[in-house]
C-alpha cells in the first residue's frame, strides 16, 4: 500500500512540474543579474518567431524572452471573434506553449534598455546583459486618448472594440442587441499607424452581412468614420472596397477622427481633420466600434533605441539598428514603413535571420532585402475576402496568378481556416518567412 507521504511527495513534484516553466524563468530580486547571447523583448508573433530561431541557433540557456502576459493571442482572428465566426478560445494559447522551451521566459515587463551597456532592466529590477537584442514589443493601445472611451467600453454594451482581448467579446453581443427596427452603427479608424489598418472596416462589412442575414438591415445606417482621406492605402484595393461600399449602401466619412464618447447620451464626437480652427461633429449611435490610436510602448519612447516617432530606428531593408549594430527589431514596434500585420512579421523574420547571420560573421547584411511585403485579408462578408498584398511603395505584390482585387470564397477560407494553422505551427516556430518562394513559383519566376 502506498504511504500518504509518498502520494503527497508525488503531488508536490507534479505541481512543481506544472509550474516549472514559469518558476525557472521569473526573477523578482533587484540584485539579480544574468547574461545571455540573445535577449528578445516581447512574446508576440515576432518575438516568438525570432526566439525560436535564436534558441535553435544558440541552444538552451542562451536566449531569454521578456514577456509579462500569460496568454498569447492570434490577434488577426479577433475580427472573426467579433463577428461570431470564431470564439476567443480559438484565438489563444498559453504563453508558455508559444515561447520555445529551450529559451528562458522572463515573466516581467521591460522598464528600460541601456544599449550603450548592453543592458535590459525589467520592472521587477532584474538586469539582463545581452550580446544581441531583438525588440519585438508591438504597439500599445491608447484608448485613453479618446475622452470617455474606456468608461464607455466598460459600461455601455453598445460600445465595442476588436482590438483588445478585454473587449472583443462585446462586439458580437452588440451585433445581436442592435435594434431590429433599425439604428445607426459607427465604425471608426484612428490616426495611423495602427495594427492591421484593414480591421476597422472589415468588422463593418461583417456587421452589414449580419444584419442582412438576420433581416435587420432595412432602416439601419452604417457609417465608417475614418481619419484618413482614402479608404485604403493601395489604389487597386481601395477601388474594389469603394465598389463594395456603394453596392451595400454604406457611408464613408473621410477625415473624421473620434475624439470623445459620451455613453450616457449615446453620442460620439469627431474632429474634422485638417480644418483650422478645428471643427467637430457629434453623432448618435446604437453601436460604436472603436479602433483606438496606437503608439510604441512607453519605455521605448525617448529611449536611445527610438526615432522621433518612438519606434525602434532600424534599416528598412535589413531591420538592424542604425546606431547599435547588435540591436534588431521586428514587427509593429520597428520603424520599417510598412503596414503593421502578422504577414509583415513573417516576411521580416526571414530577412532578420539573414541579417543576424551576417552580423555574427562580422559582415554587413547583403543579398535579400526587405521590400515591405505585407498582407491584409479584407473580409467583405461571411464567405468572401479580398486578399490585399503589397510592398513599401503601396504596389500590389500578389501571391496567386489571379486578380486578388476580387472578392473570393477561396481567400475567405485561406483567412479563416489556413492562416491560423500557419501561424501556430509555422510562424511563431520560426519556420514561415512569407509566401515569396510560392509567389515566384506561381508566377513562373516572373516578378518579385
Amino acid at each position: 500500500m502506498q504511504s500518504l507521504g509518498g502520494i503527497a511527495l508525488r503531488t508536490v513534484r507534479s505541481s512543481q512540474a506544472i509550474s516549472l516553466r514559469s518558476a525557472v524563468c521569473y526573477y523578482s530580486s533587484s540584485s539579480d543579474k544574468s547574461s545571455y547571447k540573445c535577449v528578445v523583448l516581447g512574446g508576440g508573433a515576432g518575438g516568438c518567431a525570432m526566439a525560436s530561431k535564436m534558441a535553435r541557433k544558440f541552444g538552451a540557456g542562451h536566449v531569454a524572452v521578456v514577456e509579462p502576459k500569460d496568454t498569447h493571442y492570434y490577434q488577426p482572428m479577433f475580427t472573426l471573434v467579433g463577428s461570431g465566426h470564431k470564439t476567443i478560445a480559438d484565438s489563444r494559447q498559453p504563453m508558455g506553449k508559444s515561447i520555445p522551451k529551450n529559451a528562458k521566459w522572463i515573466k516581467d515587463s521591460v522598464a528600460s534598455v541601456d544599449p550603450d551597456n548592453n543592458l535590459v532592466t525589467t520592472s521587477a529590477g532584474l538586469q539582463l546583459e545581452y550580446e544581441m537584442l531583438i525588440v519585438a514589443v508591438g504597439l500599445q493601445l491608447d484608448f485613453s486618448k479618446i475622452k470617455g472611451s474606456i468608461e464607455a467600453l466598460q459600461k455601455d454594451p453598445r460600445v465595442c472594440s476588436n482590438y483588445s482581448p478585454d473587449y472583443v467579446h462585446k462586439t458580437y453581443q452588440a451585433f445581436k442587441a442592435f435594434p431590429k427596427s433599425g439604428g445607426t452603427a459607427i465604425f471608426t479608424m484612428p490616426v495611423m499607424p495602427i495594427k492591421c489598418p484593414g480591421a476597422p472596416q472589415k468588422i463593418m462589412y461583417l456587421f452589414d452581412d449580419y444584419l442582412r442575414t438576420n433581416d435587420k438591415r432595412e432602416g439601419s445606417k452604417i457609417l465608417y468614420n475614418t481619419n484618413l482621406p482614402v479608404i485604403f492605402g493601395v489604389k487597386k484595393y481601395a477601388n474594389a472596397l469603394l465598389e463594395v461600399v456603394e453596392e451595400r449602401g454604406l457611408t464613408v466619412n473621410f477625415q473624421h477622427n473620434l475624439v470623445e464618447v459620451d455613453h450616457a447620451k449615446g453620442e460620439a464626437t469627431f474632429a474634422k481633420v485638417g480644418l483650422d480652427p478645428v471643427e467637430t461633429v457629434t453623432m448618435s449611435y446604437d453601436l460604436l466600434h472603436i479602433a483606438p490610436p496606437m503608439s510604441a510602448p512607453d519605455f521605448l519612447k525617448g529611449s536611445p533605441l527610438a526615432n522621433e516617432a518612438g519606434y525602434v530606428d532600424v534599416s528598412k531593408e535589413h531591420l538592424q539598428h542604425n546606431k547599435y549594430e547588435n540591436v534588431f527589431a521586428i514587427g509593429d514596434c520597428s520603424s520599417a514603413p510598412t503596414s503593421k500585420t502578422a504577414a509583415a512579421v513573417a516576411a521580416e523574420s526571414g530577412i532578420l535571420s539573414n541579417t543576424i547571420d551576417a552580423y555574427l560573421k562580422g559582415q554587413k547584411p547583403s543579398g535579400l532585402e526587405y521590400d515591405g511585403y505585407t498582407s491584409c485579408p479584407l473580409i467583405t462578408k461571411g464567405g468572401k475576402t479580398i486578399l490585399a498584398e503589397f510592398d513599401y511603395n503601396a504596389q500590389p505584390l500578389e501571391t496567386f496568378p489571379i486578380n486578388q482585387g476580387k472578392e473570393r470564397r477561396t481567400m475567405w477560407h485561406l483567412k479563416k481556416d489556413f492562416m491560423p494553422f500557419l501561424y501556430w505551427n509555422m510562424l511563431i516556430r520560426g519556420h514561415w518567412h512569407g509566401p515569396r518562394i510560392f509567389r515566384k513559383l506561381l508566377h513562373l519566376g516572373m516578378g518579385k
Side-chain angles (χ1 to χ4, degrees), residues 87-375:
T87 68
I88 191 67
D90 293 328
S91 72
R92 69 190 179 202
Q93 70 177 20
M95 188 62 69
K97 187 178 177 181
S98 304
I99 293 172
K101 296 195 183 307
N102 54 348
K104 181 165 284 192
W105 177 17
I106 309 295
K107 192 176 179 294
D108 199 358
S109 57
V110 180
S112 64
V113 179
D114 179 1
D116 292 304
N117 292 296
N118 297 333
L119 192 67
V120 171
T121 302
T122 73
S123 296
L126 176 65
Q127 292 188 318
L128 309 174
E129 290 181 321
Y130 60 82
E131 295 178 24
M132 284 181 4
L133 179 69
I134 300 175
V135 187
V137 290
L139 298 180
Q140 66 183 20
L141 305 179
D142 293 329
F143 283 108
S144 61
K145 292 182 179 178
I146 304 170
K147 184 178 179 181
S149 67
I150 295 176
E151 183 177 350
L153 284 162
Q154 292 173 343
K155 296 182 177 181
D156 189 344
R158 299 169 296 177
V159 180
C160 52
S161 178
N162 286 349
Y163 272 93
S164 168
D166 295 331
Y167 305 124
V168 65
H169 68 281
K170 294 188 66 185
T171 304
Y172 193 53
Q173 293 174 1
F175 277 25
K176 292 186 289 186
F178 194 76
K180 189 174 179 65
S181 57
T184 300
I186 305 174
F187 298 81
T188 73
M189 171 72 175
V191 176
M192 292 281 281
I194 66 168
K195 307 176 188 183
C196 190
Q201 61 185 291
K202 288 190 276 190
I203 193 61
M204 172 183 66
Y205 301 131
L206 286 165
F207 177 65
D208 170 75
D209 186 46
Y210 173 84
L211 292 186
R212 293 177 188 277
T213 301
N214 290 276
D215 197 26
K216 288 185 177 183
R217 184 65 175 90
E218 188 174 348
S220 297
K221 294 190 296 182
I222 301 177
L223 312 179
Y224 181 56
N225 288 4
T226 172
N227 178 80
L228 301 175
V230 294
I231 196 167
F232 198 74
V234 180
K235 185 174 177 56
K236 173 178 180 175
Y237 307 121
N239 290 341
L241 292 170
L242 288 172
E243 289 180 11
V244 172
V245 164
E246 183 176 359
E247 174 190 318
R248 299 182 194 169
L250 310 173
T251 299
V252 179
N253 294 312
F254 294 111
Q255 297 185 293
H256 280 57
N257 185 41
L258 180 64
V259 293
E260 184 175 355
V261 181
D262 185 337
H263 73 89
K265 295 181 178 179
E267 293 179 343
T269 299
F270 297 84
K272 294 185 177 181
V273 178
L275 297 183
D276 189 15
V278 175
E279 292 184 15
T280 61
V281 58
T282 298
M283 304 177 181
S284 297
Y285 64 81
D286 297 286
L287 184 153
L288 176 64
H289 180 273
I290 300 174
M294 302 175 200
S295 62
D298 289 335
F299 84 86
L300 200 51
K301 298 170 186 170
S303 80
L305 296 180
N307 62 11
E308 291 182 359
Y311 299 97
V312 184
D313 186 22
V314 295
S315 156
K316 71 174 188 176
E317 296 85 9
H318 301 290
L319 308 176
Q320 185 172 22
H321 199 274
N322 287 317
K323 179 179 178 181
Y324 301 100
E325 65 175 9
N326 65 333
V327 175
F328 311 85
I330 185 171
D332 299 350
C333 69
S334 90
S335 62
T338 193
S339 188
K340 298 180 183 296
T341 68
V345 168
E348 290 171 11
S349 69
I351 299 295
L352 186 49
S353 184
N354 291 339
T355 300
I356 289 172
D357 284 345
Y359 166 75
L360 292 173
K361 295 174 183 175
Q363 301 171 354
K364 294 291 183 183
S366 60
L368 193 64
E369 296 182 347
Y370 182 43
D371 55 12
Y373 172 82
T374 189
S375 176

Side-chain angles (χ1 to χ4, degrees), residues 47-113:
C48 287
M50 294 311 300
S52 294
K53 288 176 176 292
M54 296 301 102
R56 286 194 293 270
K57 183 183 294 291
F58 297 125
H62 295 294
V63 177
V65 180
V66 183
E67 171 54 57
K69 297 183 177 67
D70 290 311
T71 304
H72 182 114
Y73 288 97
Y74 174 47
Q75 295 180 57
M77 191 179 282
F78 283 179
T79 293
L80 295 172
V81 174
S83 63
H85 290 91
K86 294 280 188 178
T87 68
I88 191 67
D90 293 328
S91 72
R92 69 190 179 202
Q93 70 177 20
M95 188 62 69
K97 187 178 177 181
S98 304
I99 293 172
K101 296 195 183 307
N102 54 348
K104 181 165 284 192
W105 177 17
I106 309 295
K107 192 176 179 294
D108 199 358
S109 57
V110 180
S112 64
V113 179

Side-chain angles (χ1 to χ4, degrees), residues 392-428:
Y392 275 138
N393 299 315
Q395 295 302 306
L397 193 57
E398 298 180 344
T399 298
F400 300 97
I402 55 176
N403 179 10
Q404 292 180 200
K406 288 187 175 183
E407 299 174 274
R408 297 181 185 274
R409 178 167 290 276
T410 51
M411 300 308 173
W412 160 262
H413 287 296
L414 188 73
K415 162 68 177 175
K416 176 176 172 287
D417 303 317
F418 180 68
M419 289 182 179
F421 173 85
L422 192 68
Y423 181 89
W424 293 121
N425 295 282
M426 297 289 287
L427 197 160
I428 66 170

